[in-house]
Amino acid sequence: MAQLHDLRLRLLVQQESEQISNSQPSDLDLSIVQARCLCWLTLLAEAHEDQANDAEGRNDTEQAMGWFADSMRLRDVIQVVSSIEIPLPESSELDNNDEGGDFFNGEPPMTA
């Protein structure tokens, strides 16, 4: 069952990366990548929580704790990914025109 889950996850990640590369063939928009990652991470966290609840219902405490711990790790990753500041393309172009080419206006490009 775990192998099937892993294969399904790999397929979903592969499909998502192909959709991103096809929709942004020459200029990859990092804000789109971030939004899609957050969607997938949320779905994975919810699936892990469901698995934890199922295991708890079967009185398999050890398995429930494992699934719950994984869901908490995913929630932590969601917090990290959502805290990454990515300049939006429109605002970067405006800043670039206003500042004479200073892309980040003295700020670091991304923070985590």
Side-chain angles (χ1 to χ4, degrees):
M1 186 66 152
Q3 256 184 343
L4 180 62
H5 179 70
D6 290 345
L7 289 174
R8 182 173 180 236
L9 179 59
R10 285 183 191 174
L11 178 62
L12 290 173
V13 170
Q14 182 181 4
Q15 288 173 339
E16 190 67 20
S17 64
E18 287 174 5
Q19 286 179 341
I20 290 171
S21 64
N22 289 339
S23 67
Q24 304 287 326
S26 62
D27 189 28
L28 188 61
D29 185 350
L30 294 178
S31 61
I32 291 173
V33 174
Q34 182 184 37
R36 288 185 176 178
C37 287
L38 288 170
C39 290
W40 283 112
L41 287 168
T42 301
L43 289 173
L44 286 172
E46 289 172 359
H48 279 69
E49 288 171 7
D50 290 343
Q51 290 291 336
N53 291 333
D54 289 345
E56 187 177 20
R58 295 188 313 269
N59 292 324
D60 188 352
T61 307
E62 185 177 337
Q63 189 68 36
M65 289 172 46
W67 283 111
F68 181 75
D70 287 347
S71 72
M72 293 287 77
R73 287 186 200 103
L74 284 167
R75 296 288 178 193
D76 291 342
V77 171
I78 290 169
Q79 291 299 319
V80 170
V81 171
S82 63
S83 69
I84 296 172
E85 295 179 15
I86 298 174
L88 297 175
E90 298 85 45
S91 65
S92 296
E93 290 174 7
L94 291 176
D95 291 343
N96 192 20
N97 291 337
D98 293 342
E99 298 293 325
D102 186 15
F103 184 74
F104 295 111
N105 297 329
E107 297 178 18
M110 294 176 20
T111 59

